[in-house]
Amino acid sequence: MHFLDDSLWPETQEKLVITAAPYGPEWEPGDFPEDIPVTMDQQVQAAVDCYNAGATVLHIHVRELNGKGSKRMSMFNELLGRLRDAVPDMILQIGGSISFTPENDGEAAKWLEDEARHLLTTLDPAPDQVTIAINTSQMNIVELMTADDIAGTSFERPALHEAFRNMVVPAEPAWVEEHLKRLRAAGIQPHFQLAHSAQLETVERLVRRGVYTGPLNISWVAIGGGFDGPNPYTMMEFIRRVPDGASLTLESIMRAVLPINTMGIAMGLHTRCGNEDNLWYGLGEKMTSVHQVEQLVRIAGELGRKVADGKEARDIYKIGEYWDSADEALAKLGYPPNRKPGQLGFTFHA
């Protein structure tokens, strides 16, 4: 992405798209009972409240009545159907892991098998987006969590902490290509959740080879433990390498979420918040998902950056668009074209 002299002026920036992640699949309901929705009514209400606060993308996981993360497609179908009625303007984004929480202490925290995750392309009603990981990687979500972060939560149990410390994201090349193919056939847009620049390079290769020829909506996921950490130098290098035609959301963990999001708002990027990413306002003081959304809206207001409504967010994300060829996708995204046979030297943007 390029920053010109006027790039930090709010009037030259896209409106801010705020993603809310209010379903906290890693937490148990008792970790934050005021904010972890359990019943279907509560899960729907969480979406309504986040939308009313200013969020236009909803990152979705589903819970069973016993508080466990649901792995049943029927539960996802039920929630999606109700959300289409309750928040018709929101972009509904399903978390591609489905549920990674261990069923019981001592069991592994793991993403579901390849074919189970492919079932997300058959949901009815279909979501607008499904998040997709690129390249198998470690996802140790507790590496950056401090004793203060986990105080009073289920993560204080050594067995559960260890389960999450060893979690791995499976995303082999054959699975990724097949999943992208099925998403396109279903009219669902992938949202690329990327751990570092090497994964961004793989996405570019998928575009150059014509495997994926649609809009690039990307999250830089700075949670450590196999992913980048919330280091501004690392962040800026990742931003530099994202093509101008992509949409980039910044995502981090715990009390790094707010400073990373604040930098993102100032730079014209997009943000994500909610109890899946962070429970805390400050040391020892919890903060609900809705209050986190409201906080970002206030900061955007101070910076003069307008917040997108549902229709504007759909336009920014180019929901429903796909292109016909690698050449067209490269041009739309702002990548230089593929090298032609016999061409020497550097390639240039059109």
Side-chain angles (χ1 to χ4, degrees):
M1 289 178 158
H2 291 83
F3 290 86
L4 306 179
D5 291 340
D6 57 1
S7 292
L8 300 185
W9 298 349
E11 64 269 22
T12 68
Q13 296 173 341
E14 287 181 323
K15 291 187 177 181
L16 172 64
V17 177
I18 299 174
T19 297
Y23 299 114
E26 73 273 36
W27 305 111
E28 295 179 0
D31 293 337
F32 195 0
E34 301 86 352
D35 197 50
I36 303 291
V38 176
T39 69
M40 190 61 67
D41 285 348
Q42 289 171 339
Q43 291 176 81
V44 173
Q45 190 61 49
V48 172
D49 293 342
C50 287
Y51 177 74
N52 289 339
T56 49
V57 180
L58 183 70
H59 183 75
I60 299 168
H61 296 275
V62 185
R63 274 183 204 273
E64 300 280 355
L65 278 175
N66 64 4
K68 301 287 187 182
S70 181
K71 297 173 171 60
R72 294 191 292 154
M73 293 300 113
S74 60
M75 291 289 287
F76 281 83
N77 287 336
E78 180 181 353
L79 182 57
L80 285 167
R82 292 189 58 176
L83 291 173
R84 286 293 182 207
D85 291 332
V87 283
D89 292 335
M90 280 193 108
I91 295 172
L92 302 183
Q93 178 192 94
I94 299 292
S97 66
I98 302 177
S99 173
F100 49 69
T101 304
E103 288 294 314
N104 300 290
D105 273 6
E107 295 184 8
K110 62 180 182 179
W111 289 40
L112 294 194
E113 293 76 14
D114 291 356
E115 200 56 42
R117 286 180 288 147
H118 282 324
L119 290 176
L120 293 176
T121 67
T122 69
L123 292 171
D124 184 17
D128 299 295
Q129 290 186 325
V130 169
T131 61
I132 184 170
I134 300 293
N135 299 335
T136 297
S137 61
Q138 189 73 48
M139 189 180 178
N140 170 10
I141 65 172
V142 300
E143 184 176 77
L144 294 182
M145 290 187 187
T146 68
D148 292 313
D149 289 330
I150 67 173
T153 74
S154 55
F155 277 62
E156 288 187 305
R157 298 203 304 271
L160 187 65
H161 189 278
E162 188 68 6
F164 279 113
R165 191 169 76 93
N166 290 294
M167 185 163 61
V168 171
V169 178
E172 294 86 355
W175 179 84
V176 167
E177 293 189 14
E178 177 64 22
H179 202 56
L180 289 171
K181 176 180 163 184
R182 294 193 193 192
L183 287 171
R184 178 163 188 168
I188 300 169
Q189 185 183 82
H191 189 106
F192 295 90
Q193 299 280 106
L194 303 184
H196 43 66
S197 294
Q199 293 180 357
L200 180 61
E201 290 176 358
T202 293
V203 172
E204 180 180 351
R205 294 182 191 113
L206 291 170
V207 175
R208 292 195 175 279
R209 295 166 184 168
V211 175
Y212 178 71
T213 55
L216 278 187
N217 293 298
I218 296 168
S219 287
W220 177 63
V221 187
I223 62 173
F227 288 55
D228 279 339
N231 183 313
Y233 289 104
T234 309
M235 179 184 76
M236 289 308 303
E237 174 59 16
F238 188 93
I239 292 169
R240 187 186 69 80
R241 300 183 71 171
V242 171
D244 292 332
S247 170
L248 177 60
T249 295
L250 303 184
E251 177 183 340
S252 194
I253 193 166
M254 294 301 183
R255 284 175 290 133
V257 169
L258 180 60
I260 290 292
N261 276 337
T262 301
M263 288 186 275
I265 293 171
M267 291 187 290
L269 307 175
H270 304 293
T271 60
R272 174 175 140 153
C273 65
N275 58 37
E276 184 171 339
D277 302 340
N278 176 42
L279 297 182
W280 305 101
Y281 176 73
L283 283 175
E285 183 180 355
K286 287 179 178 169
M287 189 178 196
T288 68
S289 298
V290 168
H291 289 156
Q292 291 179 47
V293 174
E294 291 172 341
Q295 184 182 55
L296 295 184
V297 171
R298 287 196 304 273
I299 292 169
E302 289 294 327
L303 290 170
R305 178 122 181 250
K306 296 185 183 301
V307 177
D309 62 25
K311 181 183 183 306
E312 291 165 336
R314 287 176 178 276
D315 290 342
I316 290 167
Y317 273 20
K318 298 180 176 63
I319 297 293
E321 283 193 38
Y322 273 100
W323 303 311
D324 294 331
S325 67
D327 289 341
E328 184 180 7
L330 291 168
K332 293 271 192 183
L333 294 171
Y335 279 122
N338 282 325
R339 189 179 302 279
K340 293 180 173 55
Q343 182 181 354
L344 302 179
F346 291 101
T347 58
F348 294 91
H349 295 275

